[in-house]
């Protein structure tokens, strides 16, 4: 994280850079004057037919240009060439906003470069819940999954408890979770409901579950810090914010994501918590399914919201 001094230095360099840009114009004018001098020397040589006069004026003009004008011009061009590096340095100090007690983030300079508000709002409005039936079946690269989990880790958290916990299920572990879900539905639901539920889930397993790259169990650690027991609703709200972070980043990547509440009888059963390595008091808030999707298929997803004004009371 760059310091405020680093930002100040960047701003100073940018000011100097702007001055150098303006100086290029004056250097150019000087060059024109020297070139005119050289032309005059050539004309004088033609008029007088004197090689000595021509040579003297030419060498004088060339020497003046090499000694006085060229070095300043090169220095100005070198500073102008630093502009991309200055922009990159400014971007490097834009990771966070000032830290609050609840977020626990590191403080950053007030001059930090942030994404444009319109761009952020556009990303939020483009987020979609994409159903697994539309996944292509290709695997989401591990590095992209890790980026999503990193995004989740920067959710707001009261008391800095960071209660979110995630279990990434792929391959055999994913099938084990599906098997457990089917078994719990078969044994824990009333017989008539169990039959209908199993029929529906089996169809999904045959047609869509295989397209899912991974299932991320969304979990809440009830007491993430031994010395702090925050209200449960606050901890679950923090986990939900973490999932939204993942959903927004997935949208920017073109990765399909869908938060499923899963089967209630299986979701928070002791067996499921054991499979996920959770304590009995912890909560399971469903699963985030991830998958790949073709652009044209993703473009077919539409969403709408009623006016925000209908849901807001503004009192003065």
């Amino acid at each position: 994280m760059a310091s405020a001094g680093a930002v100040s230095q960047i701003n100073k360099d940018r000011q100097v850079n702007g001055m150098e840009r303006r100086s290029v114009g004056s250097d150019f004018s000087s060059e024109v004057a020297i070139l005119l001098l050289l032309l005059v020397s050539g004309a004088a040589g033609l008029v007088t037919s004197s090689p000595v006069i021509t040579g003297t004026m030419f060498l004088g003009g060339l020497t003046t240009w090499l000694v006085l004008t060229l070095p300043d011009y090169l220095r100005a061009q070198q500073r102008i060439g630093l502009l991309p590096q200055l922009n990159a340095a400014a971007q490097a100090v834009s990771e966070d906003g000032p830290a609050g007690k609840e977020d626990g983030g590191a403080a950053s300079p007030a001059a930090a470069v942030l994404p444009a508000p319109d761009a952020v709002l556009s990303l939020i409005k483009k987020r979609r819940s994409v159903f697994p039936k539309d996944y292509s079946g290709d695997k989401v690269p591990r590095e992209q999954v890790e980026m999503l989990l990193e995004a989740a880790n920067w959710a707001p958290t009261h008391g800095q408890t960071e209660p979110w916990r995630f279990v990434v299920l792929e391959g055999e572990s994913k099938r084990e979770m599906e098997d457990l879900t089917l078994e719990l539905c078969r044994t824990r639901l009333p017989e008539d409901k169990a039959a209908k539920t199993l029929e529906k889930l089996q169809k999904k397993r045959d047609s869509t579950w295989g397209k899912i790259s991974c299932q991320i169990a969304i979990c809440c650690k009830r007491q993430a810090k031994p010395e702090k027991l925050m209200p449960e609703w606050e901890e679950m709200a923090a986990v939900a914010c973490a999932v939204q972070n993942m959903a927004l980043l997935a949208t920017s990547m073109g990765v399909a994501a869908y938060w499923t509440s899963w089967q209630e009888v299986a979701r928070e059963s002791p067996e499921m918590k054991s499979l996920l390595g959770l304590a009995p008091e912890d909560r399971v808030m469903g699963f985030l399914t991830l998958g790949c999707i073709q652009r044209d298929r993703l473009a077919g997803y539409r969403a709408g919201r009623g006016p925000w004004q209908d849901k807001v009371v503004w009192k003065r």
Side-chain angles (χ1 to χ4, degrees):
M1 181 70 64
S3 65
V7 175
S8 177
Q9 184 60 45
I10 288 170
N11 290 334
K12 289 179 181 177
D13 289 343
R14 280 179 164 167
Q15 292 172 359
V16 173
N17 186 266
M19 294 171 63
E20 292 291 356
R21 282 187 180 276
R22 291 190 292 272
S23 72
V24 172
S26 60
D27 290 337
F28 180 73
S29 300
S30 300
E31 287 193 63
V32 171
I34 298 300
L35 289 174
L36 288 174
L37 179 61
L38 295 176
L39 290 174
V40 171
S41 70
L46 291 175
V47 171
T48 62
S49 299
S50 172
V52 175
I53 294 176
T54 302
T56 300
M57 295 188 71
F58 179 82
L59 289 175
L62 182 61
T63 301
T64 302
W65 184 76
L66 289 173
V67 173
L68 300 179
T69 305
L70 183 61
D72 289 339
Y73 178 79
L74 293 176
R75 280 194 295 270
Q77 291 298 326
Q78 183 180 23
R79 281 195 174 273
I80 291 172
L82 291 176
L83 187 59
Q85 288 89 332
L86 292 174
N87 287 337
Q91 184 65 33
V93 301
S94 64
E95 296 176 6
D96 305 300
K101 285 186 176 181
E102 296 189 1
D103 286 344
S108 64
V113 179
L114 297 173
D118 287 347
V120 176
L121 181 59
S122 177
L123 175 65
I124 292 172
K125 292 167 75 172
K126 285 182 171 63
R127 185 210 56 79
R128 300 289 183 270
S129 295
V130 182
F131 301 118
K133 67 181 181 63
D134 292 319
Y135 296 1
S136 66
D138 295 329
K139 187 174 178 60
V140 177
R142 181 185 175 99
E143 55 268 23
Q144 288 190 327
V145 178
E146 290 179 350
M147 285 184 67
L148 296 177
L149 296 168
E150 171 70 7
N153 199 44
W154 286 95
T157 165
H158 188 192
Q160 302 178 35
T161 56
E162 303 176 31
W164 45 82
R165 296 294 185 271
F166 301 102
V167 183
V168 182
L169 303 173
E170 298 177 309
E172 186 58 38
S173 64
K174 176 172 164 291
R175 286 187 289 273
E176 185 178 359
M177 186 275 290
E178 295 168 355
D179 289 340
L180 176 60
T181 298
L182 293 172
E183 177 63 18
L184 291 172
C185 288
R186 186 181 67 82
T187 58
R188 304 282 172 84
L189 292 175
E191 187 175 350
D192 57 340
K193 186 176 181 179
K196 293 179 181 179
T197 302
L198 287 171
E199 181 181 3
K200 180 179 69 173
L201 292 181
Q202 191 60 53
K203 286 182 179 179
K204 287 186 176 182
R205 188 175 202 182
D206 295 340
S207 62
T208 65
W209 287 1
K211 297 180 179 181
I212 298 172
S213 178
C214 66
Q215 294 264 27
I216 301 181
I218 302 166
C219 311
C220 179
K221 189 71 177 172
R222 181 62 192 95
Q223 192 164 0
K225 287 191 173 182
E227 70 279 11
K228 290 183 179 180
L229 181 62
M230 310 302 290
E232 186 179 49
W233 73 266
E234 290 188 357
E235 301 293 67
M236 296 182 75
V239 176
C241 289
V243 176
Q244 177 73 346
N245 282 3
M246 287 197 285
L248 291 174
L249 185 57
T251 299
S252 73
M253 292 176 173
V255 172
Y258 177 71
W259 184 353
T260 170
S261 57
W262 209 240
Q263 289 297 312
E264 184 177 1
V265 71
R267 185 179 61 239
E268 293 201 276
S269 66
E271 293 86 349
M272 183 66 74
K273 290 183 179 181
S274 176
L275 176 67
L276 299 175
L278 301 176
E281 67 273 13
D282 296 338
R283 303 297 302 271
V284 182
M285 298 171 59
F287 294 84
L288 186 70
T289 69
L290 296 181
C292 297
I293 187 171
Q294 299 296 327
R295 283 183 178 273
D296 57 344
R297 200 166 187 87
L298 181 59
Y301 274 78
R302 298 285 186 267
R305 296 290 189 272
W308 63 265
Q309 293 89 342
D310 293 347
K311 304 146 191 168
V312 178
V313 175
W314 203 306
K315 294 188 176 182
R316 298 181 187 275

